[in-house]
Amino acid sequence: MLRTLLRRATGSGCPRPDPWRLTATMSYSSKDNKSTVKKTKKGKDKNDPAAAADDAVSDVDAALFDEKARARRLQADENDPSLDVGPNGRPLFTATPTLSQLTRKDACSYFKLKMEELNNVLPEGLPLGMVKEFEDAMQSAVLVRQSFLDLRDNFRWIVDPPLHSSTTKGTKVRKQIVLDGPVSCGKSIALSMLVQWARGEGWLVLYVPRGRDWTYGGFFYKNPQTGLWDTPVQAENILKDFLKFNESRLKQLFCQIFDPIPLGEGAGVGWMKDGIDTMAMPDGSTLYDLVDTGIKHTHAAVGVVVRLRKELSLVKDIPVLIAIDQYNSWFTFSEYEEPVTVRSTRPIHAKELATVKAFRSMRHDDMMVGAFSHSTAVGKLRQDLPEVPTDARVNFPRYTLDEAAAVCHYYLRQRLIRREAFTEENWKKIYYLSNGNGAEIRWLVPLMRGDGMQADG
């Protein structure tokens, strides 16, 4: 059934390239591809439509996957602004310089990013979908979507209520949001853009691009004092990531909780000697000192992560945002197992991990957003999640028709589509075939053919 749909979408009489063949084509230089194509053409009947179509596909594959040649052409295209044209003659790229200044007028246009600046503002790492998009398009740019603008404005209005009341009426503002939606609809990219915007506004943001990393790998043990499972290796990594962008800001914020930090078992070093089970922070300690203590002392790592969550709730000088990607991995079993008998084990749920338990709940007054990721293979979760407000779940949509039009014009600009094959009818077929799935659109657009995109019959 899928093969039939693909053949109809990519034209009658022009078969879809085999994925293995594409892989093989990419493994050789363009010179080898040309010689292979010539050899294939020899001995074939010119009147055979299947052979002609096969030769056409081979020629297109060789051109499309000569990445060095494409990169050179794209470099030359940078000097030709006449190519930066979107649907209906609109500019393909927005001239708005910052994410904060984007408005509805910028929707369905592309916002260019500088990789050096992006890596500086998101040192914890970029979403895999964003990395793949940049690699395939050979351009670091993201589509400005109305769904992202709504997400950004939601948190902006929390910090600046007068702005909210003067611009919109009847719009419900949520301090806690769970981004749900179908696979490859852009949840992770929207979340990373939200973090980038918030940090540009001077907010303190704890960003976790891979929430699943909290639930597997490294040393783990059951803490007899809390009854929860401690993961000191993960805790240290959490603190290091938090420090990467926020170090200077944390040095300005003082600790407000003065209770001693509980100590646990260190990774590879066991318990503290002499029965020491707590560590006091010196008077006048900053949040930087707190985080640094957890990084330097493996026994304190988990206790510091738990303490940090409480301290973030007490920060009032600047807005604080907690942003968790792969949030759904915290509502299922981790990869840790507890021995029950000699031959059996019990899977440990993520909520039993001390670090996850400290950050998972959304039943508080802090700003927090979590994004579901279907790449974690968690499966569909029930609608009413524990520790999450019933109205927190927001369905993030796939591309609309207008957004898909901008996306396909962008891929045309980036030479993922042959210009002679690009028509409104052709890109709409791709859109409806993929049902607005961004990853599938990006995979399908190079298959457009200039002479075979007519509907059957």
Side-chain angles (χ1 to χ4, degrees), residues 156-274:
R156 170 184 278 171
W157 293 334
I158 293 173
V159 176
D160 191 358
L163 178 64
H164 173 221
S165 60
S166 63
T167 56
T168 61
K169 294 182 179 180
T171 303
K172 184 174 182 179
V173 175
R174 299 177 174 90
K175 282 193 172 184
Q176 300 84 30
I177 288 180
V178 175
L179 295 179
D180 197 1
V183 62
S184 297
C185 67
K187 301 180 291 294
S188 296
I189 293 179
L191 183 65
S192 67
M193 292 174 66
L194 178 70
V195 172
Q196 184 182 0
W197 164 77
R199 285 177 170 171
E201 296 290 295
W203 293 19
L204 179 64
V205 183
L206 187 143
Y207 176 44
V208 182
R210 294 170 298 278
R212 183 175 172 272
D213 286 357
W214 290 29
T215 66
Y216 77 99
F219 171 68
F220 68 101
Y221 72 97
K222 191 168 188 177
N223 191 315
Q225 298 176 352
T226 63
L228 299 173
W229 294 83
D230 286 359
T231 51
V233 175
Q234 276 75 4
E236 181 181 339
N237 292 334
I238 293 167
L239 297 172
K240 286 180 178 178
D241 280 349
F242 185 51
L243 206 60
K244 288 177 180 177
F245 183 84
N246 299 303
E247 180 175 342
S248 60
R249 179 70 71 180
L250 293 176
K251 289 181 178 180
Q252 303 170 2
L253 300 171
F254 291 93
C255 295
Q256 301 184 55
I257 301 176
F258 306 102
D259 297 334
I261 297 171
L263 302 179
E265 187 174 352
V269 295
W271 293 87
M272 289 284 288
K273 296 180 180 180
D274 302 325

Side-chain angles (χ1 to χ4, degrees), residues 117-171:
E117 295 178 1
L118 189 61
N119 289 327
N120 287 336
V121 77
L122 297 175
E124 298 92 340
L126 304 180
L128 293 179
M130 177 181 281
V131 173
K132 179 64 175 172
E133 168 72 17
F134 291 173
E135 289 177 350
D136 289 350
M138 291 188 176
Q139 170 78 275
S140 53
V142 291
L143 179 68
V144 179
R145 305 182 64 188
Q146 186 58 50
S147 47
F148 161 71
L149 298 178
D150 293 340
L151 179 67
R152 179 204 64 183
D153 290 342
N154 174 84
F155 289 100
R156 170 184 278 171
W157 293 334
I158 293 173
V159 176
D160 191 358
L163 178 64
H164 173 221
S165 60
S166 63
T167 56
T168 61
K169 294 182 179 180
T171 303

